[in-house]
Amino acid sequence: MSNVATSDTPRKQRSWYKRNEVAITPWLFLAPAIFFFAVYVIWPIYQSITISFYDWDGLGEATYIGTDNYTELMDDDAFKVSLWNNLKWLLFYLLAIPGGLFIAIFLNQSVRGIRIYKSLFFFPFVVSQVVVGLVFSWFYLPDAGLLNSIIGMVGLGPINVLGDPTWATYGIIAAGLWPQTAYCMILYLTGLNAVDPEQIEAARLDGAKGLRMLWYIIIPQLKPATFIAFVVTIVGALRSFDLISIMTNGGPFGQTRVLSFYMFEKALSEYGFRMGYGAAIAVVLFLIMLVFIAYFLWSMWTEEKGR
Amino acid sequence: MFQRTKTLVAVLAATTMLSGAAFADGHAKLSGDLKIFLDTSNPAPRATMEKMIADFGAANPDLNIETTVIDREAYKTQIRNFLTADAPDVATWYAANRMTPYVSAGLFEDISDLWAEPEIAENLASTKGAMTIDGKQWGVPYTYYQWGIYYRKDIYDELGLSEPTNFDEMKSNCQVILDSGRKCYTIGSKFLWTAGGWFDYLNMRTHGFDFHMEMARGEIEWTDDRVRETFANWRELIDMGGYIDNHQNYSWQEALPFMVNGEAASYLMGNFAVAPLREAGLSDDQLDFYQFPSINPNVELAEDAPTDTFHIPANAKNKDNARAFLRFVVSADVQTEINNGANLGQLPVNAKASVDDDKFLKEGFAMLSSNSPGGVAQFFDRDYSAEMAAEAMQGLQEFMVIPDNLDEILARLEKVRVRINK
């Protein structure tokens, strides 16, 4: 009697699991990741979008105001300046990629002592962004800075890079390019190690050298490195914040703000009491990022499929 | 259960002692916990506060005091979190409009009962206004300091100048200083608020304290002709080249060397500038102070004197201990002690306390108590609502760099004012 019961039930359970094992197991492994992704990524995104429809000072009652925050953004000069500056960052930050490639090729030689040079070029990437910002603000100082001493020797200047609303943003981007170029250089140095020597040999026999060798043989093989360099550079440009905060604090008169900095000012800074408005800015920034995220996912997917 | 009885007894003990006469001598024995958050992160104020809290602890050996010092700038953003989530029993903040968001969100405790006690009502009367919102008091001040023009006396002597008493003298002095190859005023406007000081004074001297406060409450249009008049006065100083160049690059500390090196003759600042100027090597013979001169003789002189304060969060757990601590902080002896030159180097808020024997403190105290008939303002970013202050100070900086943009700036500020007061 008892024998029948024990032999019956386990078989039933096992068969259910057996039947679904292949489908279930990957989800079991994925579950923790999905859970944390939902709680720490999806949920906050949903929350920011919700808050952006409210007028809320972060403390008291939140009032639903529909799309008023977005309507106000359309008419906000500071927002336009921030958006425009973000575009400048996106565009000029990409210079880090050819810069990094150039330095990597330059350093990819077997000369005595080249490792010292490599580590020196590696240095700016190790240094904190805050320190980079400080060093560059001294470099740009209108009276005592090194930059004005240098251009003074050829009879130019003095220019006040960080105090002049037309130059300040470019000055900060240039400072940001320093560590970013070093980062791209590292990526390309790794990529260059993986370049197939036989292909180079074959190309050389076919008479390729110099720029043609670089363009047709080397760069195509560096495609994975270029892709990663592109991703980190775009992300770095969009989340630029530390350098701006250190070098100009968004000034002079708010002309070096970018979206992330403006969002911080409106929602979280000393005088910020507008969570809803800050959230609306965050949503706009998120939409811009979404374009790139979609592109990255799509290109990774096609890459996988091609294999 | 035992725990609860213990706290109940403690609370009872505290309240009975406080209601009795015992508290007056400040030695009522307290027990339980007291959690204090401070934003006094600079070395000297930090040491002062820690010493004061240690004294309070020594007088109340059964009290378990826990002090947390938070970086002053970080504190400004963290206060929103800790007042709602994990409130201390006592927290530092600032007077006037700067406390409005927390008062209206119900995060600060109404301590009008403390202010009704004769000890506080009589001796702290002068600062009551700055602590009052909706007819109730929401904290106690522990220190304040004067603003005014600190100048290089040796340069003035060399050029045969004397302290100006009106705007014409101020301008003619400035012209002499400019002719000698120096700048009249140093300023670092990178963090914007310093420009607010100049606007405060020019506006209060041109139209008086009441007008300035009406503006602060958002009752006056930024495009009003009277506001333009203030800017026109300011522009005279800008156009003659009175300010150092490239001030938008410097913080207020980075603007100090111009004065120390004698490249600029004076600095409109709060009294906290004296300590670094002395440390940089200026002696009291070289450094002096004068009240911002009158511009319109028909308005009474009014001053900026920001007040730093202690508050009890509404979510505090040991409010009676906190009240006892606030009484201790504002008492005459403690006020004399913590504000002296070796400690905060500022002015005591208690009328019975004595001002330290320091040239600038004495001069500032005399100025605020007898030569500020118009009134005492807190400071631009404490009197104006936070959002208006942020936009406006940015506009003031822009005006100082590109004065021709005035019309755009005022139109922009007016738009913000209308939206805030909607």
Side-chain angles (χ1 to χ4, degrees):
Chain A
M1 185 93 166
S2 62
N3 258 348
V4 178
T6 40
S7 64
D8 242 24
T9 30
R11 190 190 298 154
K12 213 175 188 180
Q13 277 172 355
R14 205 164 48 228
S15 72
W16 180 85
Y17 183 70
K18 275 281 179 207
R19 244 187 298 132
N20 298 291
E21 197 178 15
V22 180
I24 289 172
T25 316
W27 291 107
L28 281 178
F29 281 106
L30 278 174
I34 291 177
F35 175 76
F36 284 107
F37 189 75
V39 170
Y40 291 106
V41 179
I42 304 293
W43 180 245
I45 290 173
Y46 167 75
Q47 270 188 321
S48 313
I49 295 174
T50 322
I51 292 173
S52 73
F53 296 114
Y54 284 85
D55 179 19
W56 185 39
D57 67 357
L59 296 170
E61 281 292 298
T63 334
Y64 183 79
I65 52 165
T67 54
D68 280 10
N69 282 327
Y70 293 95
T71 324
E72 198 190 323
L73 269 185
M74 294 300 116
D75 194 32
D76 182 346
D77 292 331
F79 172 72
K80 285 174 200 155
V81 169
S82 315
L83 194 61
W84 188 234
N85 280 340
N86 253 127
L87 288 177
K88 286 182 194 166
W89 272 89
L90 272 180
L91 201 63
F92 288 99
Y93 228 46
L94 291 177
L95 289 175
I97 297 175
L101 175 63
F102 179 79
I103 298 172
I105 290 171
F106 172 72
L107 287 178
N108 193 41
Q109 311 172 37
S110 38
V111 183
R112 208 179 145 77
I114 195 75
R115 289 212 178 108
I116 295 175
Y117 289 105
K118 275 187 190 171
S119 47
L120 283 179
F121 276 96
F122 187 70
F123 182 69
F125 178 64
V126 184
V127 172
S128 141
Q129 292 259 306
V130 175
V131 178
V132 171
L134 265 182
V135 169
F136 267 83
S137 24
W138 293 329
F139 176 70
Y140 288 141
L141 272 184
D143 40 4
L146 193 59
L147 178 70
N148 275 316
S149 311
I150 293 170
I151 62 172
M153 282 192 290
V154 291
L156 293 170
I159 58 167
N160 181 1
V161 179
L162 295 180
D164 187 330
T166 44
W167 292 112
T169 293
Y170 299 107
I172 302 173
I173 295 174
L177 275 176
W178 194 48
Q180 192 64 33
T181 307
Y183 193 13
C184 293
M185 176 204 81
I186 296 161
L187 292 171
Y188 277 122
L189 277 176
T190 327
L192 284 171
N193 277 339
V195 167
D196 185 359
E198 285 178 13
Q199 282 196 32
I200 301 209
E201 200 55 44
R204 191 158 287 152
L205 287 176
D206 289 344
K209 53 185 171 185
L211 278 179
R212 290 175 72 88
M213 171 79 95
L214 179 69
W215 189 250
Y216 291 106
I217 309 298
I218 314 264
I219 289 185
Q221 293 193 58
L222 290 175
K223 201 180 159 205
T226 309
F227 179 71
I228 296 172
F230 186 65
V231 173
V232 293
T233 307
I234 293 289
V235 172
L238 284 173
R239 63 168 195 203
S240 50
F241 182 94
D242 338 23
L243 284 172
I244 297 168
S245 174
I246 288 295
M247 294 174 77
T248 60
N249 199 33
F253 25 96
Q255 295 300 304
T256 57
R257 285 182 181 126
V258 292
L259 289 176
S260 58
F261 193 80
Y262 190 44
M263 170 184 73
F264 167 79
E265 274 191 325
K266 284 289 172 189
L268 299 164
S269 77
E270 186 177 349
Y271 305 108
F273 293 97
R274 304 187 65 197
M275 294 294 170
Y277 200 62
I281 301 167
V283 169
V284 172
L285 184 58
F286 174 68
L287 291 178
I288 297 173
M289 288 216 171
L290 209 55
V291 173
F292 290 99
I293 293 170
Y295 166 74
F296 295 147
L297 289 180
W298 176 76
S299 45
M300 274 197 283
W301 185 66
T302 46
E303 187 83 357
E304 291 285 315
K305 213 172 61 167
R307 247 170 226 171
Chain B
M1 188 61 198
F2 174 69
Q3 196 63 33
R4 193 183 293 164
T5 333
K6 209 168 119 191
T7 36
L8 191 70
V9 169
V11 168
L12 269 176
T15 40
T16 36
M17 275 186 298
L18 298 177
S19 53
F23 84 88
D25 62 9
H27 288 292
K29 292 282 181 287
L30 301 165
S31 60
D33 294 318
L34 181 63
K35 201 162 128 194
I36 303 172
F37 277 16
L38 300 173
D39 69 344
T40 49
S41 57
N42 290 336
R46 179 180 183 142
T48 305
M49 287 297 174
E50 282 171 349
K51 167 84 175 27
M52 179 183 78
I53 291 167
D55 289 347
F56 184 69
N60 300 284
D62 295 338
L63 191 61
N64 174 29
I65 305 179
E66 189 190 316
T67 311
T68 309
V69 183
I70 300 168
D71 171 72
R72 201 176 176 87
E73 295 306 314
Y75 192 95
K76 290 170 182 167
T77 50
Q78 286 180 20
I79 185 170
R80 304 169 71 82
N81 293 337
F82 67 66
L83 284 183
T84 41
D86 186 20
D89 300 313
V90 172
T92 53
W93 193 237
Y94 312 108
N97 220 330
R98 276 304 275 283
M99 59 181 190
T100 309
Y102 310 109
V103 170
S104 48
L107 291 171
F108 277 163
E109 169 95 345
D110 171 9
I111 56 162
S112 306
D113 54 324
L114 266 187
W115 282 86
E117 293 170 5
E119 184 79 2
I120 291 181
E122 285 160 24
N123 296 331
L124 264 62
S126 63
T127 55
K128 191 173 182 179
M131 303 310 304
T132 305
I133 292 177
D134 297 337
K136 295 174 193 140
Q137 287 76 46
W138 305 92
V140 293
Y142 64 91
T143 187
Y144 70 123
Y145 51 90
Q146 80 272 17
W147 270 66
I149 298 187
Y150 294 84
Y151 72 103
R152 285 286 299 268
K153 194 167 175 15
D154 50 342
I155 295 179
Y156 270 53
D157 287 345
E158 179 196 321
L159 301 172
L161 302 173
S162 54
E163 298 182 357
T165 53
N166 59 47
F167 199 45
D168 287 334
E169 281 177 39
M170 187 172 168
K171 284 183 289 187
S172 66
N173 274 358
C174 182
Q175 195 55 56
V176 176
I177 295 168
L178 286 171
D179 291 344
S180 78
R182 302 176 176 99
K183 293 289 187 181
C184 314
Y185 313 105
T186 183
I187 180 174
S189 62
K190 181 174 177 183
F191 295 98
L192 308 176
W193 55 268
T194 46
W198 274 95
F199 180 79
D200 275 351
Y201 272 101
L202 287 158
N203 201 34
M204 285 195 290
R205 291 290 184 268
T206 311
H207 298 295
F209 179 79
D210 293 337
F211 177 83
H212 189 66
M213 286 301 140
E214 281 166 38
M215 267 190 89
R217 289 191 297 270
E219 290 160 14
I220 301 211
E221 293 178 11
W222 279 89
T223 44
D224 191 296
D225 279 343
R226 288 170 293 178
V227 181
R228 284 179 194 279
E229 237 176 279
T230 299
F231 279 102
N233 285 334
W234 197 352
R235 182 153 188 173
E236 285 190 60
L237 298 175
I238 296 169
D239 283 349
M240 67 197 289
Y243 298 96
I244 59 162
D245 298 323
N246 303 319
H247 53 77
Q248 69 270 34
N249 290 42
Y250 308 119
S251 67
W252 76 267
Q253 292 98 330
E254 286 167 336
L256 288 167
F258 293 95
M259 183 150 158
V260 176
N261 300 335
E263 293 161 41
S266 54
Y267 202 172
L268 175 68
M269 248 307 136
N271 197 54
F272 51 81
V274 170
L277 284 171
R278 280 177 177 154
E279 276 159 30
L282 292 182
S283 68
D284 280 10
D285 297 332
Q286 290 173 294
L287 193 61
D288 209 348
F289 172 84
Y290 62 82
Q291 186 170 16
F292 198 98
S294 149
I295 292 177
N296 177 352
N298 299 325
V299 303
E300 291 179 315
L301 296 181
E303 294 296 319
D304 266 347
T307 307
D308 292 349
T309 55
F310 271 117
H311 302 266
I312 305 178
N315 299 331
K317 291 180 195 73
N318 308 291
K319 289 181 182 170
D320 290 312
N321 287 346
R323 280 188 163 77
F325 180 70
L326 296 193
R327 282 191 198 94
F328 174 78
V329 170
V330 297
S331 65
D333 292 346
V334 173
Q335 280 294 304
T336 306
E337 169 67 20
I338 65 171
N339 283 298
N340 72 24
N343 290 316
L344 294 176
Q346 295 179 0
L347 297 169
V349 292
N350 189 312
K352 290 219 178 90
S354 44
V355 178
D356 192 57
D357 187 28
D358 171 279
K359 167 168 131 174
F360 297 99
L361 289 180
K362 282 199 298 196
E363 213 169 324
F365 185 72
M367 175 179 87
L368 289 174
S369 45
S370 62
N371 203 19
S372 175
V376 173
Q378 286 297 315
F379 190 72
F380 194 87
D381 64 359
R382 301 188 190 187
D383 288 323
Y384 286 65
S385 71
E387 216 183 310
M388 190 72 242
E391 286 288 337
M393 293 191 304
Q394 189 179 302
L396 298 178
Q397 186 203 33
E398 180 171 354
F399 172 73
M400 287 188 76
V401 180
I402 313 173
D404 287 340
N405 287 0
L406 182 64
D407 286 334
E408 291 164 42
I409 296 167
L410 291 182
R412 205 165 65 218
L413 295 188
E414 178 56 19
K415 204 165 96 180
V416 176
R417 186 193 70 88
V418 169
R419 191 177 52 70
I420 293 174
N421 293 325
K422 189 165 59 179

